[in-house]
Amino acid sequence: MISSGLLTTAMLGGGHIASLFFLFRWFSNSDASHVLPIGDDPPTRRAAGRFTLRAGFRVALVAGIATALLAIEANALAAIGSWVPGVICGGNWLPTLDCRLEAASSQLGREVALAILVGCAVTMFAARHLMSSSVLYLPALLMIGIIGFGAAADIIAGGEAAARPELLFRIIAGLQLTAAAGFALSAVILPLRSVTAAIRCLLAHMAGASVRILGAISILALWPNLPAASAIALVVTMLLVPGVASALTAAAALATSTGCD
Amino acid sequence: MAILEGFVFLTVCMGLIFAARQFLLIWRVGLGSDFCDHSQGPRFSTDPAQWPTVAVLVPAHNEERVLAGCLSAMTALDYPAAKLSILVINDRSTDRTAEIADEFAARDARVRVIHRGAARRPGKSAAIVDGMEFSAAEILVLFDADYLPRPRLLEDLVAPFADASVGATMGRVVPCNSDANLLTRLLDLERRAAYAVDQQARALWSLMPQFGGTVGGIRRAALDGVGGWREGHLTEDTDLTLRLALGGWRVAYLNEARCYEEVPEDWASRFRQVRRWAYGHNECLLSYWGGILRSRLGARQKLDAALILLFYLFPACVLLSTLAIIPILAFGSDEGLLGGAWHWIAPLLPLAVLAPYTQVMIAALMDRQTHVVRTLPLLFVSSSLSLLASTAAVGLLVWNRIRGRSLGWDKTRRYRTA
């Protein structure tokens, strides 16, 4: 039972990391030049921005769609999350904050923390040898360092109790709200030149939502087995940071739709 | 635990203020650019003889890879020849920098080379101080040795000085190697937001656009009036910006006066660059905090100056708060300061987090290059670098202050050849 649960958790976590890899790879692929021309043309005087009726309608429409996407993501998480043993969610339109996780905490908190700390050390060693010249090296070290810090805090504090599950659901809810706001800002600011672009934008946002849900589910499945500080550290590094990045998937999709302006 | 919570709470509040500022600047820029159009302000006469004398200063330390290209561009600058001098300050170079500079001096009478001896104090600011002694020009324009100004750039940088209140001008630096790799593309995004939105909006609102120490001009009289160029300062540009503001001078930002520069292509160079900036910036924080508060600047300018001064302390606070929040959330309860403030902080955090990304989107839109936004979600990569470098700088500053030492000059690596 324990080993199948851990296997499922490992698969979910692996799936989350793999999906992040593909998503970030897509973000970083860019054929068009990023160099801004600095010609000798005289500066053009930009027209002052005006809040027109059309702009107001667009803002209202985007806000409505963003709210709907927020509700869809929250309910999707509640529905999928209910498959995780112990997760119970409410029935309102934004169920995330009403979710509870009722599962017995692991009694091996300190041992788990120690294993995490050793894992961090090994990963740092591997990173140093495999990716020390990569731009991702320092961010990776930062993430590993934060996780290691959490594990060390657990070892010092005793590591007996799991973190309060409501913290996790608050953070997930905050991330969902950030994603909705990210979609809204992207759709209002960036040009939307065609229906195809709008559809790509929506699909991209949903892809980002899928990645966030996968991450949330994998952390939920792992939560009862994690000592408190390690759990918080994992949430910050594996959920929050990539989650904010995935909140701008719609912006990236709109950018690819515009091509060179 | 209460101390940790208080520290995290202060950091969150600082973050909310920075985010609010970013959105306000975005809003101001969105209202339209009726500003940096200097055709509406005082103008120099169309007679070139009436234009001010200009000395272009190019400090160069081991710049053999890029100096020839830079000086070719400098000698092609469109400015009355009799009013222009180009001073190359060879700062104790050990490569062919001196030879290349001397070749240009032999070909063009406007070019003059100053060779600093090995005994002279190292660093860009010290080199500039030495160079200034050899010029009596009314306007000093600074360029780094890897810059490639277009012919009209000098006229654009000098034109605002027709307004007697302008003490310095600042153009926009544009990365020429943005396509090199992911890091350069991310740095390009940061530069866009910093110039197209941040600097522009601050100029629009008569706040404190920053003089960047390159692609910028300084009125000699203003410089002398605020104590001259200071040696030994790692961020002499920030230092001068604050002194000019306290001296009642204005910095005119010119978004269309663009010049190419190189940004670091590897993380180690970028780390050292940000560490240097953060170190110098925080030295300015210690030097000017009281002066700014006691000054006769307006409330908006004081607030802007305060946020400028805190700019490189904030990342260190963010990193330390991230570490502090782990034990707070893990072992604390909802009864503390953060638990009580959570309900009004929580709805604001998503927008606060998205503020820098929004600034980049607006900048890309204004530049008519929204395709660059594809890389935007990965901005956390370069931000992590800056976070670590800024924190390292704060730690180093504290350590050096205790030991009575200072951080030495660290030259940014060049990638382009000629």
Side-chain angles (χ1 to χ4, degrees), chain A residues 28-29 33-34 45 132 261, chain B residues 37 179 185 267 370-371 374:
Chain A
S28 62
N29 280 346
S33 174
H34 283 225
R45 198 183 170 106
S132 59
D261 299 26
Chain B
D37 179 359
D179 295 334
R185 272 182 269 138
W267 68 261
T370 48
H371 65 276
R374 180 170 180 169

Side-chain angles (χ1 to χ4, degrees), chain A residues 28-114:
Chain A
S28 62
N29 280 346
S30 185
D31 295 330
S33 174
H34 283 225
V35 179
L36 181 68
I38 54 167
D40 252 341
D41 298 329
T44 51
R45 198 183 170 106
R46 280 194 313 112
R50 291 182 301 132
F51 192 76
T52 61
L53 203 60
R54 188 176 172 183
F57 175 73
R58 180 172 171 171
V59 169
L61 179 65
V62 166
I65 295 172
T67 307
L69 288 172
L70 171 63
I72 291 170
E73 184 174 340
N75 281 276
L77 176 65
I80 299 170
S82 61
W83 290 355
V84 177
V87 173
I88 304 164
C89 289
N92 63 25
W93 74 285
L94 282 180
T96 310
L97 280 174
D98 290 337
C99 290
R100 301 188 312 278
L101 175 61
E102 294 171 356
S105 303
S106 164
Q107 300 304 310
L108 301 173
R110 209 171 216 167
E111 287 78 4
V112 172
L114 190 59

Side-chain angles (χ1 to χ4, degrees), chain B residues 100-116:
Chain B
I100 294 168
D102 286 336
E103 280 170 15
F104 274 86
R107 291 205 299 262
D108 192 319
R110 294 172 301 171
V111 179
R112 193 174 165 189
V113 186
I114 299 145
H115 298 285
R116 299 184 76 222

Side-chain angles (χ1 to χ4, degrees), chain B residues 266-337:
Chain B
D266 60 275
W267 68 261
S269 298
R270 174 60 177 172
F271 183 91
R272 285 193 298 271
Q273 184 183 57
V274 175
R275 189 185 62 179
R276 184 176 75 243
W277 290 351
Y279 192 100
H281 219 87
N282 284 311
E283 282 190 312
C284 287
L285 170 64
L286 295 173
S287 302
Y288 290 102
W289 182 251
I292 290 289
L293 288 178
R294 290 188 300 267
S295 72
R296 294 164 70 175
L297 293 171
R300 280 193 313 187
Q301 284 187 317
K302 280 189 186 179
L303 181 60
D304 192 40
L307 292 176
I308 292 170
L309 288 172
L310 290 169
F311 187 77
Y312 279 106
L313 180 64
F314 178 63
C317 294
V318 168
L319 182 56
L320 294 174
S321 293
T322 303
L323 295 176
I325 201 74
I326 292 171
I328 289 171
L329 291 180
F331 310 125
S333 67
D334 280 344
E335 311 303 319
L337 176 63

Side-chain angles (χ1 to χ4, degrees), chain B residues 7 18 72 99 119 156 190 199 201 211 259 283 300 324 344 407:
Chain B
F7 177 71
F18 271 113
S72 297
E99 187 184 325
D156 291 341
E190 289 184 8
Q199 287 275 72
F211 173 70
C259 185
E283 282 190 312
R300 280 193 313 187
W344 65 265
L407 185 68

Side-chain angles (χ1 to χ4, degrees), chain A residues 206-247:
Chain A
M206 287 179 188
S210 305
V211 173
R212 285 188 295 278
I213 289 172
L214 193 54
I217 298 295
S218 58
I219 296 276
L220 268 173
L222 208 51
W223 197 261
N225 301 303
L226 291 172
S230 303
I232 300 296
L234 269 174
V235 166
V236 167
T237 54
M238 300 305 295
L239 200 61
L240 258 182
V241 173
V244 170
S246 70

